[in-house]
Amino acid sequence: MDPFVRVAYRGAYNLALVWWFVRRPTTEGTLVGVWRGREVLLLQNSYRRDFSLPGGGQDPGESSAETGSRELREEVGLHVPPERLRPVFVSQNRYVYKHDTCHFVELEVETEPPLVLDHREVVWARFIDVDTALRLPLVRVVREYLEDAARRRQSVTP
C-alpha cells in the first residue's frame, strides 16, 4: 500500500506545482531545525529529491511555533509543545512559483529522540552533522537556513 500512497503524493505535488505556476500564490509556512549539538534532523519526502526539515504550511490563525509543533508530530512523531520552539530565522523568496514566507524555529535535544515515520510522505529522517548536511542536495530555503545556523553554532561551539 505504501508505494501507491507515495505515487499519489508525487502526483499531488506535481499537480500543486502546475497550480502554483498558474496562480503564483503567496504562502506562509514553518520549518523546524531540530538540533543535537551540531547535528540537525534532515528528512526526505517521497515527492521530492532534495532533503528538507520537518515543516509545512501554516493554518489560519496558527503561530509558527504551533505549526512547527504540529508538523513535528505529523511528520516524525515528536510531541513537542510550541513553547519549546524558538523562532530564529525568516526567509522570503520565490520558490516553486510561489512567493513564500518561511519561518524557521529551532528545538534543542540532548539525545536523539525516537522518530516515527509513515514511509508515505516522509520516507527517510536522520540526524546529520551540519557540515555534511550542507554537502547534500537541499531545498533552497533549507540551505539558506543551515548556512546561517552553521555560522551561529560555530561561534558558540568550542
Side-chain angles (χ1 to χ4, degrees):
M1 182 63 160
D2 289 349
F4 297 112
V5 175
R6 288 192 294 268
V7 167
Y9 268 109
R10 276 192 296 278
Y13 183 71
N14 287 328
L15 286 174
L17 288 172
V18 171
W19 179 249
W20 297 331
F21 179 78
V22 171
R23 297 291 304 196
R24 309 292 170 142
T26 298
T27 58
E28 190 162 5
T30 299
L31 292 172
V32 185
V34 181
W35 293 90
R36 185 181 68 179
R38 283 188 54 85
E39 292 182 327
V40 63
L41 176 64
L42 285 186
L43 60 77
Q44 189 163 39
N45 297 104
S46 60
Y47 50 87
R48 38 162 74 140
R49 294 173 194 226
D50 298 340
F51 293 91
S52 190
L53 300 171
Q58 284 186 224
D59 290 338
E62 195 174 49
S63 71
S64 56
E66 290 167 333
T67 302
S69 176
R70 175 176 52 79
E71 292 291 340
L72 283 173
R73 186 177 58 258
E74 291 174 3
E75 293 188 346
V76 293
L78 293 181
H79 295 266
V80 176
E83 303 79 43
R84 287 202 49 210
L85 301 176
R86 177 175 53 98
V88 292
F89 191 82
V90 177
S91 172
Q92 293 186 332
N93 59 69
R94 286 226 175 262
Y95 181 67
V96 290
Y97 314 114
K98 304 179 293 182
H99 177 72
D100 188 43
T101 300
C102 187
H103 301 266
F104 287 86
V105 295
E106 289 182 341
L107 171 68
E108 302 285 339
V109 296
E110 294 288 321
T111 60
E112 186 172 326
L115 304 175
V116 179
L117 308 182
D118 65 6
H119 297 286
R120 293 175 172 186
E121 179 184 9
V122 177
V123 295
W124 180 92
R126 297 279 186 288
F127 280 86
I128 297 182
D129 177 78
V130 66
D131 297 322
T132 303
L134 286 167
R135 291 193 296 269
L136 297 172
L138 299 167
V139 172
R140 187 175 62 209
V141 296
V142 171
R143 179 171 304 285
E144 181 183 352
Y145 161 72
L146 288 179
E147 287 170 349
D148 177 75
R151 281 189 298 274
R152 284 186 287 113
R153 289 173 178 280
Q154 190 66 34
S155 65
V156 296
T157 304

